[in-house]
Structure formats: C-alpha cells, structure tokens
Amino acid sequence: MLGLMQRRELLISSIIQHAARHHGEAEIVSRRDDGRIVRTTYRALERRARKLMGALRELGVRFGDRVATLAMNSDRHLELYYAISGMGAVCHTINPRLAPNDIAYIIGHAEDHVLFVDACFAPLAAAIAPRVAAVLRAIVVLAETGEMKQLDLPPGVAQLDYESLVEAADEQDDWPVFDENTASGLCYTSGTTGMPKGVLYSHRSSLLHAYAVNSADAVAMRATTRVLPVVPMFHVNAWGLPYAAPMVGAALIMPGRHLDPVSLRALMDGERVDLSVGVPTVWLALVHHMRQTGGGFRTLKRIMSGGAALPRALVAAFAELGVEACQGWGMTETSPVVTYNGPKPATAALTGEARLDHAVRQGRALFGADVRAVGPDGAEAPWDGGSQGDISCRGHWIAKGYFRAPESEIADDAWFPTGDVGLIDPDGFLLLTDRSKDLIKSGGEWISSIELENIAVGHPDVAEAAAIAAPDEKWGERPLLIVVPRQGHEPRPEELRAFFKGKVASFAIPDRVIVAAELPHGATGKILKHELRRLYAGGK
Ligand code: AMP
C-alpha cells in the first residue's frame, strides 16, 4: 500500500518561490566589478528570474539545453542559477581560472549555445569564441545597457547585454513543473587523467544536498543569518549555498571579484555578515590581514572551510578573533558536502589542544550521504582512528558517472571512489591523511601534475619530468617540477618556466624547477612521487 501524502517534485524553482513568498524582503547584496554595492531582495530576484526565463526561451534555449556561465558571485549569477535550472535547462558553471584550452574544450563538450559572462571575463570569452563558434550562438555580458564595448566575435556569435535582455523579455507567469530527476547543473572537474569531466547534478540531488548542508550540525543558516560565500558559484554550486540560503531566507552577501582580505573584511563589517564560507587560502590571508591591522570583526561569528585541510593554526587564530572555524569535506562529484565537523556529545566539551586536534578532522557524514575507508584487503577499515583506507562515499547527491561518459557509470547503491585516503575514528569523524591522486592544489585550484609533465617533456631539453606538490604557506601547495635532461642538453629552469606560459593557467606554472640526473621508478615503471616528495618537498 502506498502512503496517502502529496507528492511534489523536488525542484530548484520551489526554493526561490518559497523565498519570494516567505522571505520577500530578505536581501541579496552584491559588489560589482567597479566596487559599487547593489541591493535586491528575494522577491525582486524571483520576478527577474522569471523574466530571464522568458529571455532564455527567446534566445532559443530549450528544456535540457546547457547554458554556460563564466561569472563570480552576484545577484545576476543567482538569477541565472534559478532561471536556467528553473526552466529545465542545465546551468553549466565554468571556472574562469581554467586554461583557455580547457574552457574551449568543456564548452564544446557540453555544447553550450549561450554563454553568460561577467564584464571582466568578456575578453577571455572573446578569445575563446573562435574555437567554439560551431556550438556557441551568443555571449551575454552581465552588464548594464551600453556599458560594454563591442567585442571582436566570430560570425554567428552574437554579443548581447544582460540588462537590456532582461528588460525586453516577457515575464513568464509560472515556473514549469517536471521530473525532479531532471539535470539542473553541470560542473567540470579536472580528473587525474585526460580532459576535464562533467558532473551533472539533478534538481532532486541539489535540493536534498541543500537541506543537509543547512542542518543544525552543519552550516545551520536561518532567516537571521547574513552569509558571505567566498567559495565561488562557478565551482560546485558554491557548496550549495545559493540554494540553502534562500531556502531559509538567509541574506546573501556576494563579493563579486573582490576577494582580497581588505575588501572582504570591509564587506563583512559593512554588511553585518555573521557567517562566511571559503577555502583555507582565503582564511589564511584574512587572518594575516587582521593581525597586521589589529582589531576584530564587527559581526562575524563563524567561518566554514573546505576544499583543502583546515590548518590547526587557523582554527586557533580565528578563535582569538572570537570566530568559530569549522570544516566540511567533499568534492565536485559529491555536490560537494559529505561530511561536516559538527560536535557530538563526546567532542562538544573539548577544550585547548584537544579541541584543536579534533578541529582538523574533516567531520562526520551528513544524513543522506555515507562515507567509508576501504583497507588494502578490500574490506571496510574499522573505525578505530588508526586504520587508513581509500575513502569512498554514496548517497542522494553523489555522482553515479560523468556527463557523456557512459563507461564511467556505477550502480545507484555503489560506493564512489574519491581518490582521498584517510581514517575514521570511533565517533565516526573522518580524518584525511593523504590523497591517492597526484594532483596539486594551489589556493583552492587543482593543478594536474600529469598535464605539467606532459608539457615539460615537450621541451627539447627534457627527457623525463615529474610534478609534485610542495607545501606553501600562502597557497597550501605549489607545483614543483623535477626534470631529467636529454643527453647532451642542459635545461635552464627559468626557460622551462617560461615554456609553460600560455599552455596552462598562470597559477599552474611551477614555481621551481629542479634538474636531476634521474627519477626514482617503481616496479611497474611508475615514477615514485612519494619518494620525490621526500627528496625535494620535505615529505616523509
Ligand atoms: P574539488 O573536486 O575540486 O572540489 O576537490 C575535492 C578534493 O579536495 C577532495 O577530494 C579532497 O582531496 C580535497 N578536500 C576537500 N575538502 C577537504 C578538507 N576539508 N580537507 C582536506 N581536503 C579536502
């Protein structure tokens, strides 16, 4: 017998409808490129999103089409999130920090017909346009009417400006209703091998994730919260905050491109922010700034960190400033939050060093997702706080495959391998100890060691190359390249670094190049990265 309860589709549009109806006056505050602060409300944003939905239809966007964004956090990006997904199209957020080659590849792979870009990324979009002219029909610049100068675009790719587009569009009366399993968003991750892979979120997965993110033992926002997401809307939906905040009527304070500590602190203090979310690099810079200038935050009470391990010293530094620092863990494929370090009866009363020891843990699984460590014997490692294993997870918001890669699909109840290595303690808290993949993470951005190696060995003086992560105070990690010369050649480090210019994003260019006589190899011929880390980067 089936239950006798209403069945309504879990749709992203229902969030903004709820926010407009029950938190209509709640604010969305955005800092524009030129530093101006603009304000809107959930009520006004919902109406504009319905107009934007009309504009998208007039542009020829249909159910299931992918629509790309190349933008920082703003009210306009939020309108796009709701209008695109709300009409049943797929909001494809692109990371502007990727190399232009990768951006062109993913636009082609996703077949984005329309691309919305912040004015500051318009030159980047124009530079890529000739390479994606076969799929792209329009670039819409997120700017006022007449604010943007004409870009040099290939024939067939129109340039439009956002405000006149929305202004002229027909306001749609209703949000369409469709299957909650419909794709809502697309975000590409750079895998360990090959080209970036697309993670395709659904309305259902995004909604359930937003509920979980907002639970009391996790981010716990409420209608009185004023949250500043530093974590970008172009990466894993800014950890679900664009959904979770309007769900409860929390005010969203959008920093735009102004992510330096001076601007962030001013925005936090000026806009009475009490919660902020970002990667450790941002927090390190902010704490450094606070120490230099003295004083404290006016209203900030909590920060949430993720994307890389939260250093112990950072937790202590924030505590001195009267701010609680807490971390969550996840990845693009997991929407992203799987675990969050919320207290349990056994941990709530910890103080001093014991509290800091506990704070470096990545946390325990939120309801709706699960996590486990698998030991070398293939069995789940015991929760004893010492048995390490490969971390895998499963749940309502965990990917079961990559976009347009049927070979990657796993069963609905299968465990997704994360590539992270860690252990779980008796209270169920995960602690990451390593990662099995050899990617390098600098300031929240992945750098593929394989890509760097491939480029390096393309240099005429280089026989073999290995890229590893070297610890870095500011960025967390920076790439270090070790090369073996071709016989009779003498590679020069500075020239090698210059060789990377234009081939990878500038943040991916190795900081240091070491010339070595040989590289250590394992039994199957693979380069022993851990050995290199030990030799050159202070690893054990
Ligand atoms: P991405 O898919 O780019 O979001 O990167 C996900 C990866 O970032 C994870 O697989 C981890 O290796 C790393 N990561 C995320 N959160 C944390 C955390 N709290 N501590 C340590 N590493 C993390």
Side-chain angles (χ1 to χ4, degrees):
M1 187 166 31
L2 294 179
L4 205 52
M5 303 304 282
Q6 295 186 349
R7 185 192 187 290
R8 294 171 61 84
E9 305 295 338
L10 295 171
L11 295 179
I12 283 171
S13 56
S14 67
I15 301 176
I16 201 66
Q17 285 175 275
H18 173 85
R21 187 170 155 81
H22 295 279
H23 306 283
E25 294 306 313
E27 275 190 312
I28 302 122
V29 180
S30 306
R31 182 167 260 170
R32 294 276 183 259
D33 281 5
D34 61 7
R36 253 179 325 134
I37 298 229
V38 295
R39 293 169 194 282
T40 184
T41 62
Y42 284 127
R43 184 174 299 122
L45 191 135
E46 189 268 347
R47 182 169 168 263
R48 281 199 20 125
R50 275 188 285 113
K51 286 197 88 172
L52 180 54
M53 189 158 63
L56 290 166
R57 288 182 172 143
E58 280 157 36
L59 283 174
V61 175
R62 298 282 167 260
F63 192 84
D65 284 355
R66 274 75 57 203
V67 177
T69 65
L70 197 58
M72 303 300 290
N73 297 1
S74 72
D75 53 332
R76 289 166 171 159
H77 206 173
L78 195 68
E79 287 164 0
L80 285 161
Y81 261 50
Y82 283 99
I84 298 169
S85 306
M87 69 169 286
V90 180
C91 182
H92 173 201
T93 54
I94 301 177
N95 184 342
R97 297 175 191 152
L98 290 176
N101 269 345
D102 283 346
I103 297 180
Y105 167 79
I106 64 178
I107 288 176
H109 188 265
E111 285 186 274
D112 300 319
H113 297 316
V114 184
L115 169 64
F116 288 83
V117 294
D118 272 347
C120 60
F121 300 130
L124 172 64
I128 290 163
R131 282 187 266 172
V132 292
V135 295
L136 204 60
R137 293 197 298 257
I139 292 180
V140 185
V141 185
L142 298 172
E144 309 290 336
T145 312
E147 193 187 334
M148 190 65 213
K149 62 179 194 312
Q150 194 57 41
L151 299 166
D152 184 14
L153 298 177
V157 182
Q159 177 182 342
L160 302 166
D161 71 68
Y162 186 73
E163 290 302 329
S164 12
L165 186 78
V166 177
E167 186 59 31
D170 278 339
E171 185 177 319
Q172 310 289 293
D173 291 334
D174 299 306
W175 291 97
V177 174
F178 42 80
D179 186 334
E180 65 190 26
N181 292 302
T182 302
S184 59
L186 178 64
C187 181
Y188 281 76
T189 173
S190 32
T192 41
T193 52
M195 302 309 284
K197 292 179 282 191
V199 181
L200 193 60
Y201 310 105
S202 71
H203 285 256
R204 179 187 156 82
S205 72
S206 304
L207 247 84
L208 294 175
H209 175 259
Y211 272 120
V213 160
N214 229 354
S215 54
D217 273 345
V219 182
M221 286 181 289
R222 54 200 315 180
T224 50
T225 305
R226 294 178 68 83
V227 59
L228 190 159
V230 186
V231 58
M233 291 172 75
F234 59 70
H235 185 56
V236 219
N237 302 322
W239 302 350
L241 293 173
Y243 308 129
M247 212 176 221
V248 294
L252 270 167
I253 317 298
M254 306 293 217
R257 62 194 280 206
H258 305 277
L259 303 180
D260 61 284
V262 178
S263 308
L264 284 180
R265 182 186 184 181
L267 195 60
M268 284 171 173
D269 285 348
E271 294 299 329
R272 292 173 286 118
V273 168
D274 57 347
L275 168 68
S276 189
V277 182
V279 295
T281 309
V282 165
W283 303 135
L284 283 164
L286 189 60
V287 161
H288 183 66
H289 164 72
M290 297 303 284
R291 281 189 175 140
Q292 276 187 326
T293 53
F297 296 104
R298 271 183 61 198
T299 50
L300 188 69
K301 292 279 169 297
R302 293 189 292 146
I303 62 119
M304 176 190 164
S305 180
L310 176 64
R312 196 185 154 88
L314 204 47
V315 181
F318 269 113
E320 274 172 31
L321 290 161
V323 175
E324 184 195 343
C326 200
Q327 72 179 311
W329 164 82
M331 60 198 306
T332 311
E333 290 88 334
T334 66
S335 296
V337 187
V338 178
T339 68
Y340 195 85
N341 193 334
K344 265 192 164 182
T347 66
L350 293 175
T351 53
E353 294 299 307
R355 199 180 72 79
L356 294 179
D357 285 344
H358 180 68
V360 299
R361 278 156 210 266
Q362 276 68 25
R364 55 191 167 81
L366 301 179
F367 172 71
D370 203 357
V371 67
R372 66 174 189 179
V374 174
D377 55 357
E380 179 171 359
W383 292 13
D384 57 8
S387 304
Q388 194 165 284
D390 288 318
I391 303 300
S392 52
C393 52
R394 66 179 181 187
H396 300 302
W397 50 88
I398 311 297
K400 61 178 275 186
Y402 294 100
F403 182 49
R404 294 186 156 160
E407 72 288 352
S408 67
E409 277 187 32
I410 58 173
D412 278 321
D413 61 349
W415 291 84
F416 179 87
T418 66
D420 286 326
V421 176
L423 48 89
I424 299 180
D425 73 15
D427 291 311
F429 287 85
L430 167 72
L431 175 67
L432 289 194
T433 50
D434 202 350
R435 51 178 184 257
S436 51
K437 49 200 172 201
D438 285 313
L439 283 163
I440 301 155
K441 198 162 200 187
S442 170
E445 299 288 339
W446 283 119
I447 297 171
S448 165
S449 54
I450 293 171
E451 192 183 6
L452 298 183
E453 289 157 11
N454 283 342
I455 293 170
V457 294
H459 190 279
D461 292 343
V462 174
E464 200 179 13
I468 57 169
D472 183 273
E473 242 177 47
K474 180 165 179 206
W475 301 107
E477 291 174 352
R478 291 292 303 143
L480 163 64
L481 184 73
I482 303 136
V483 297
V484 177
R486 280 171 71 165
Q487 237 182 358
H489 291 247
E490 278 182 9
R492 290 208 326 266
E494 266 328 295
E495 196 197 305
L496 274 172
R497 291 188 64 240
F499 187 64
F500 282 89
K501 282 213 180 96
K503 298 190 176 77
V504 289
S506 53
F507 67 78
I509 299 176
D511 281 351
R512 272 197 300 150
V513 177
I514 293 174
V515 180
E518 57 174 9
L519 297 177
H521 290 88
T524 54
K526 285 200 180 65
I527 296 172
L528 297 174
K529 293 270 177 97
H530 58 89
E531 182 64 10
L532 284 173
R533 282 193 281 267
R534 190 183 66 75
L535 287 171
Y536 298 109
K540 289 188 193 81

